[in-house]
Amino acid sequence: RKLLKMNMESMTGCIPVRLGALHICHPPWFFSKIVFPIMKIVMNERMRKRVRLHNGSKEDVLGELEGFGLSKRVLPVDIGGEVVVES
């Protein structure tokens, strides 16, 4: 646990990006039930408040995202939005 916390702190201090929010849509079950709860243990409170998981149907997820000001026109088609992302 101590090593994981140290790694999280070093990563957040080294990445030159300010994270306003992180929305993870339709994560696999093992991420929601196993990985994310472990990650939350080592995250500071400010980061925990900024990371959101969204599960359910496309309509449910779109509704939750709209609550954060993310409309269909700025979201990728994969999750029900209008933006076409090419690989």
Side-chain angles (χ1 to χ4, degrees), residues 3-13 39 42-43:
L3 180 63
L4 187 58
K5 184 172 181 147
M6 185 175 68
N7 285 336
M8 286 292 289
E9 288 173 355
S10 67
M11 284 188 340
T12 56
M39 288 175 58
V42 297
M43 286 181 185

Side-chain angles (χ1 to χ4, degrees), residues 11-81:
M11 284 188 340
T12 56
C14 294
I15 300 172
V17 174
R18 184 181 184 283
L19 183 66
L22 177 63
H23 296 271
I24 302 171
C25 301
H26 306 290
W29 69 269
F30 65 88
F31 184 82
S32 300
K33 304 292 183 192
I34 299 169
V35 176
F36 188 63
I38 293 170
M39 288 175 58
K40 281 175 47 176
I41 292 171
V42 297
M43 286 181 185
N44 62 35
E45 186 175 345
R46 189 177 81 216
M47 185 63 74
R48 264 184 262 135
K49 289 180 180 179
R50 293 179 179 183
V51 178
R52 302 287 181 154
L53 297 182
H54 303 284
N55 291 307
S57 67
K58 283 187 178 183
E59 292 79 21
D60 292 341
V61 170
L62 287 173
E64 289 179 20
L65 292 172
E66 284 178 6
F68 290 98
L70 298 169
S71 66
K72 280 181 147 183
R73 65 181 183 80
V74 299
L75 298 172
V77 174
D78 298 356
I79 60 170

